[in-house]
Amino acid sequence: MHIEAMTASDIAWQEQALCAQTGTDFFFPEPGSSVREAKRICGLCESRSACLEYALDNDERFGVWGGLSEKERLHLRRTEGGR
């Protein structure tokens, strides 16, 4: 299995992301908890598309990334043909 090394520019968006300024509690809630506040914050974030792309490329399975929950990202992967 080949794993590409990430460069600083690959994750530079993380420093600008609003979630980095608010903490992870909203983005990784307890099972069954609301993700509404995380999605609201994501909706205001300029890094949203880079965050979602990162989550899809790295198969992030937990939390809210780029404004989408785990289930929403799974659905997106399936409709995009297994990205």
PDB file of all heavy atoms in Angstrom, residues 45-64:
ATOM      1  N   CYS A  45     -17.494  28.840   6.780  1.00  0.00           N
ATOM      2  CA  CYS A  45     -16.048  28.634   6.672  1.00  0.00           C
ATOM      3  C   CYS A  45     -15.565  28.665   5.221  1.00  0.00           C
ATOM      4  O   CYS A  45     -16.111  27.982   4.363  1.00  0.00           O
ATOM      5  CB  CYS A  45     -15.680  27.291   7.309  1.00  0.00           C
ATOM      6  SG  CYS A  45     -13.907  27.006   7.380  1.00  0.00           S
ATOM      7  N   GLU A  46     -14.496  29.426   4.994  1.00  0.00           N
ATOM      8  CA  GLU A  46     -13.901  29.510   3.655  1.00  0.00           C
ATOM      9  C   GLU A  46     -13.147  28.241   3.279  1.00  0.00           C
ATOM     10  O   GLU A  46     -12.861  28.012   2.105  1.00  0.00           O
ATOM     11  CB  GLU A  46     -12.953  30.705   3.579  1.00  0.00           C
ATOM     12  CG  GLU A  46     -13.665  32.031   3.682  1.00  0.00           C
ATOM     13  CD  GLU A  46     -12.722  33.214   3.612  1.00  0.00           C
ATOM     14  OE1 GLU A  46     -11.532  33.029   3.289  1.00  0.00           O
ATOM     15  OE2 GLU A  46     -13.175  34.335   3.882  1.00  0.00           O
ATOM     16  N   SER A  47     -12.828  27.406   4.249  1.00  0.00           N
ATOM     17  CA  SER A  47     -12.066  26.178   3.997  1.00  0.00           C
ATOM     18  C   SER A  47     -12.963  24.966   3.759  1.00  0.00           C
ATOM     19  O   SER A  47     -12.469  23.845   3.640  1.00  0.00           O
ATOM     20  CB  SER A  47     -11.150  25.886   5.191  1.00  0.00           C
ATOM     21  OG  SER A  47     -10.242  26.925   5.387  1.00  0.00           O
ATOM     22  N   ARG A  48     -14.250  25.178   3.674  1.00  0.00           N
ATOM     23  CA  ARG A  48     -15.204  24.072   3.598  1.00  0.00           C
ATOM     24  C   ARG A  48     -14.915  23.091   2.465  1.00  0.00           C
ATOM     25  O   ARG A  48     -14.885  21.884   2.670  1.00  0.00           O
ATOM     26  CB  ARG A  48     -16.622  24.626   3.459  1.00  0.00           C
ATOM     27  CG  ARG A  48     -17.662  23.554   3.437  1.00  0.00           C
ATOM     28  CD  ARG A  48     -19.046  24.132   3.359  1.00  0.00           C
ATOM     29  NE  ARG A  48     -20.009  23.044   3.277  1.00  0.00           N
ATOM     30  CZ  ARG A  48     -21.273  23.222   3.078  1.00  0.00           C
ATOM     31  NH1 ARG A  48     -21.768  24.436   2.949  1.00  0.00           N
ATOM     32  NH2 ARG A  48     -22.077  22.195   3.005  1.00  0.00           N
ATOM     33  N   SER A  49     -14.693  23.575   1.266  1.00  0.00           N
ATOM     34  CA  SER A  49     -14.482  22.656   0.142  1.00  0.00           C
ATOM     35  C   SER A  49     -13.168  21.891   0.281  1.00  0.00           C
ATOM     36  O   SER A  49     -13.114  20.697  -0.010  1.00  0.00           O
ATOM     37  CB  SER A  49     -14.554  23.381  -1.201  1.00  0.00           C
ATOM     38  OG  SER A  49     -13.560  24.371  -1.281  1.00  0.00           O
ATOM     39  N   ALA A  50     -12.113  22.559   0.750  1.00  0.00           N
ATOM     40  CA  ALA A  50     -10.833  21.865   0.960  1.00  0.00           C
ATOM     41  C   ALA A  50     -10.976  20.814   2.053  1.00  0.00           C
ATOM     42  O   ALA A  50     -10.406  19.722   1.962  1.00  0.00           O
ATOM     43  CB  ALA A  50      -9.739  22.865   1.325  1.00  0.00           C
ATOM     44  N   CYS A  51     -11.747  21.130   3.077  1.00  0.00           N
ATOM     45  CA  CYS A  51     -11.984  20.204   4.180  1.00  0.00           C
ATOM     46  C   CYS A  51     -12.735  18.958   3.700  1.00  0.00           C
ATOM     47  O   CYS A  51     -12.347  17.833   4.014  1.00  0.00           O
ATOM     48  CB  CYS A  51     -12.788  20.931   5.262  1.00  0.00           C
ATOM     49  SG  CYS A  51     -13.224  19.926   6.686  1.00  0.00           S
ATOM     50  N   LEU A  52     -13.768  19.171   2.912  1.00  0.00           N
ATOM     51  CA  LEU A  52     -14.537  18.044   2.390  1.00  0.00           C
ATOM     52  C   LEU A  52     -13.674  17.185   1.472  1.00  0.00           C
ATOM     53  O   LEU A  52     -13.687  15.957   1.558  1.00  0.00           O
ATOM     54  CB  LEU A  52     -15.781  18.523   1.660  1.00  0.00           C
ATOM     55  CG  LEU A  52     -16.660  17.436   1.061  1.00  0.00           C
ATOM     56  CD1 LEU A  52     -17.127  16.432   2.117  1.00  0.00           C
ATOM     57  CD2 LEU A  52     -17.850  18.060   0.345  1.00  0.00           C
ATOM     58  N   GLU A  53     -12.903  17.821   0.630  1.00  0.00           N
ATOM     59  CA  GLU A  53     -12.014  17.079  -0.275  1.00  0.00           C
ATOM     60  C   GLU A  53     -11.013  16.242   0.527  1.00  0.00           C
ATOM     61  O   GLU A  53     -10.770  15.079   0.218  1.00  0.00           O
ATOM     62  CB  GLU A  53     -11.275  18.051  -1.191  1.00  0.00           C
ATOM     63  CG  GLU A  53     -10.401  17.364  -2.209  1.00  0.00           C
ATOM     64  CD  GLU A  53      -9.754  18.342  -3.174  1.00  0.00           C
ATOM     65  OE1 GLU A  53     -10.263  19.456  -3.374  1.00  0.00           O
ATOM     66  OE2 GLU A  53      -8.701  17.961  -3.738  1.00  0.00           O
ATOM     67  N   TYR A  54     -10.447  16.828   1.568  1.00  0.00           N
ATOM     68  CA  TYR A  54      -9.514  16.112   2.442  1.00  0.00           C
ATOM     69  C   TYR A  54     -10.188  14.893   3.063  1.00  0.00           C
ATOM     70  O   TYR A  54      -9.637  13.793   3.075  1.00  0.00           O
ATOM     71  CB  TYR A  54      -8.988  17.049   3.516  1.00  0.00           C
ATOM     72  CG  TYR A  54      -8.132  16.358   4.551  1.00  0.00           C
ATOM     73  CD1 TYR A  54      -6.774  16.199   4.341  1.00  0.00           C
ATOM     74  CD2 TYR A  54      -8.690  15.844   5.717  1.00  0.00           C
ATOM     75  CE1 TYR A  54      -5.981  15.549   5.280  1.00  0.00           C
ATOM     76  CE2 TYR A  54      -7.907  15.192   6.658  1.00  0.00           C
ATOM     77  CZ  TYR A  54      -6.560  15.048   6.431  1.00  0.00           C
ATOM     78  OH  TYR A  54      -5.787  14.394   7.358  1.00  0.00           O
ATOM     79  N   ALA A  55     -11.398  15.097   3.591  1.00  0.00           N
ATOM     80  CA  ALA A  55     -12.121  14.000   4.245  1.00  0.00           C
ATOM     81  C   ALA A  55     -12.413  12.864   3.274  1.00  0.00           C
ATOM     82  O   ALA A  55     -12.269  11.688   3.623  1.00  0.00           O
ATOM     83  CB  ALA A  55     -13.413  14.521   4.861  1.00  0.00           C
ATOM     84  N   LEU A  56     -12.808  13.199   2.067  1.00  0.00           N
ATOM     85  CA  LEU A  56     -13.109  12.173   1.070  1.00  0.00           C
ATOM     86  C   LEU A  56     -11.836  11.465   0.608  1.00  0.00           C
ATOM     87  O   LEU A  56     -11.811  10.243   0.479  1.00  0.00           O
ATOM     88  CB  LEU A  56     -13.848  12.786  -0.115  1.00  0.00           C
ATOM     89  CG  LEU A  56     -15.249  13.314   0.187  1.00  0.00           C
ATOM     90  CD1 LEU A  56     -15.793  14.078  -1.012  1.00  0.00           C
ATOM     91  CD2 LEU A  56     -16.193  12.205   0.616  1.00  0.00           C
ATOM     92  N   ASP A  57     -10.781  12.227   0.380  1.00  0.00           N
ATOM     93  CA  ASP A  57      -9.518  11.637  -0.073  1.00  0.00           C
ATOM     94  C   ASP A  57      -8.885  10.738   0.986  1.00  0.00           C
ATOM     95  O   ASP A  57      -8.176   9.796   0.654  1.00  0.00           O
ATOM     96  CB  ASP A  57      -8.518  12.729  -0.460  1.00  0.00           C
ATOM     97  CG  ASP A  57      -8.877  13.449  -1.742  1.00  0.00           C
ATOM     98  OD1 ASP A  57      -9.778  12.972  -2.485  1.00  0.00           O
ATOM     99  OD2 ASP A  57      -8.277  14.504  -2.013  1.00  0.00           O
ATOM    100  N   ASN A  58      -9.116  11.051   2.253  1.00  0.00           N
ATOM    101  CA  ASN A  58      -8.492  10.311   3.353  1.00  0.00           C
ATOM    102  C   ASN A  58      -9.469   9.388   4.075  1.00  0.00           C
ATOM    103  O   ASN A  58      -9.145   8.857   5.135  1.00  0.00           O
ATOM    104  CB  ASN A  58      -7.848  11.299   4.328  1.00  0.00           C
ATOM    105  CG  ASN A  58      -6.682  11.992   3.693  1.00  0.00           C
ATOM    106  OD1 ASN A  58      -5.602  11.420   3.580  1.00  0.00           O
ATOM    107  ND2 ASN A  58      -6.881  13.212   3.232  1.00  0.00           N
ATOM    108  N   ASP A  59     -10.638   9.205   3.493  1.00  0.00           N
ATOM    109  CA  ASP A  59     -11.640   8.284   4.026  1.00  0.00           C
ATOM    110  C   ASP A  59     -11.918   8.523   5.513  1.00  0.00           C
ATOM    111  O   ASP A  59     -11.956   7.590   6.308  1.00  0.00           O
ATOM    112  CB  ASP A  59     -11.201   6.835   3.780  1.00  0.00           C
ATOM    113  CG  ASP A  59     -12.366   5.858   3.904  1.00  0.00           C
ATOM    114  OD1 ASP A  59     -13.523   6.276   3.712  1.00  0.00           O
ATOM    115  OD2 ASP A  59     -12.109   4.680   4.209  1.00  0.00           O
ATOM    116  N   GLU A  60     -12.095   9.801   5.866  1.00  0.00           N
ATOM    117  CA  GLU A  60     -12.448  10.147   7.246  1.00  0.00           C
ATOM    118  C   GLU A  60     -13.844   9.600   7.520  1.00  0.00           C
ATOM    119  O   GLU A  60     -14.788   9.911   6.817  1.00  0.00           O
ATOM    120  CB  GLU A  60     -12.425  11.668   7.453  1.00  0.00           C
ATOM    121  CG  GLU A  60     -11.048  12.267   7.398  1.00  0.00           C
ATOM    122  CD  GLU A  60     -10.181  11.903   8.596  1.00  0.00           C
ATOM    123  OE1 GLU A  60     -10.704  11.406   9.608  1.00  0.00           O
ATOM    124  OE2 GLU A  60      -8.968  12.131   8.510  1.00  0.00           O
ATOM    125  N   ARG A  61     -13.962   8.778   8.528  1.00  0.00           N
ATOM    126  CA  ARG A  61     -15.231   8.102   8.785  1.00  0.00           C
ATOM    127  C   ARG A  61     -15.997   8.656   9.966  1.00  0.00           C
ATOM    128  O   ARG A  61     -17.126   8.251  10.211  1.00  0.00           O
ATOM    129  CB  ARG A  61     -14.975   6.625   8.992  1.00  0.00           C
ATOM    130  CG  ARG A  61     -14.392   6.032   7.729  1.00  0.00           C
ATOM    131  CD  ARG A  61     -14.435   4.564   7.715  1.00  0.00           C
ATOM    132  NE  ARG A  61     -13.816   4.123   6.469  1.00  0.00           N
ATOM    133  CZ  ARG A  61     -13.922   2.918   6.018  1.00  0.00           C
ATOM    134  NH1 ARG A  61     -14.588   2.018   6.676  1.00  0.00           N
ATOM    135  NH2 ARG A  61     -13.338   2.588   4.891  1.00  0.00           N
ATOM    136  N   PHE A  62     -15.379   9.569  10.715  1.00  0.00           N
ATOM    137  CA  PHE A  62     -16.035  10.106  11.902  1.00  0.00           C
ATOM    138  C   PHE A  62     -16.053  11.621  11.857  1.00  0.00           C
ATOM    139  O   PHE A  62     -15.134  12.241  11.330  1.00  0.00           O
ATOM    140  CB  PHE A  62     -15.312   9.628  13.169  1.00  0.00           C
ATOM    141  CG  PHE A  62     -15.281   8.137  13.287  1.00  0.00           C
ATOM    142  CD1 PHE A  62     -14.135   7.434  12.957  1.00  0.00           C
ATOM    143  CD2 PHE A  62     -16.395   7.432  13.698  1.00  0.00           C
ATOM    144  CE1 PHE A  62     -14.102   6.046  13.050  1.00  0.00           C
ATOM    145  CE2 PHE A  62     -16.377   6.049  13.779  1.00  0.00           C
ATOM    146  CZ  PHE A  62     -15.227   5.361  13.459  1.00  0.00           C
ATOM    147  N   GLY A  63     -17.096  12.195  12.408  1.00  0.00           N
ATOM    148  CA  GLY A  63     -17.186  13.640  12.547  1.00  0.00           C
ATOM    149  C   GLY A  63     -17.773  14.337  11.339  1.00  0.00           C
ATOM    150  O   GLY A  63     -18.114  13.727  10.330  1.00  0.00           O
ATOM    151  N   VAL A  64     -17.905  15.639  11.481  1.00  0.00           N
ATOM    152  CA  VAL A  64     -18.399  16.504  10.414  1.00  0.00           C
ATOM    153  C   VAL A  64     -17.186  17.118   9.732  1.00  0.00           C
ATOM    154  O   VAL A  64     -16.331  17.723  10.373  1.00  0.00           O
ATOM    155  CB  VAL A  64     -19.314  17.616  10.983  1.00  0.00           C
ATOM    156  CG1 VAL A  64     -19.730  18.587   9.886  1.00  0.00           C
ATOM    157  CG2 VAL A  64     -20.548  17.008  11.646  1.00  0.00           C
TER     158      VAL A  64
END
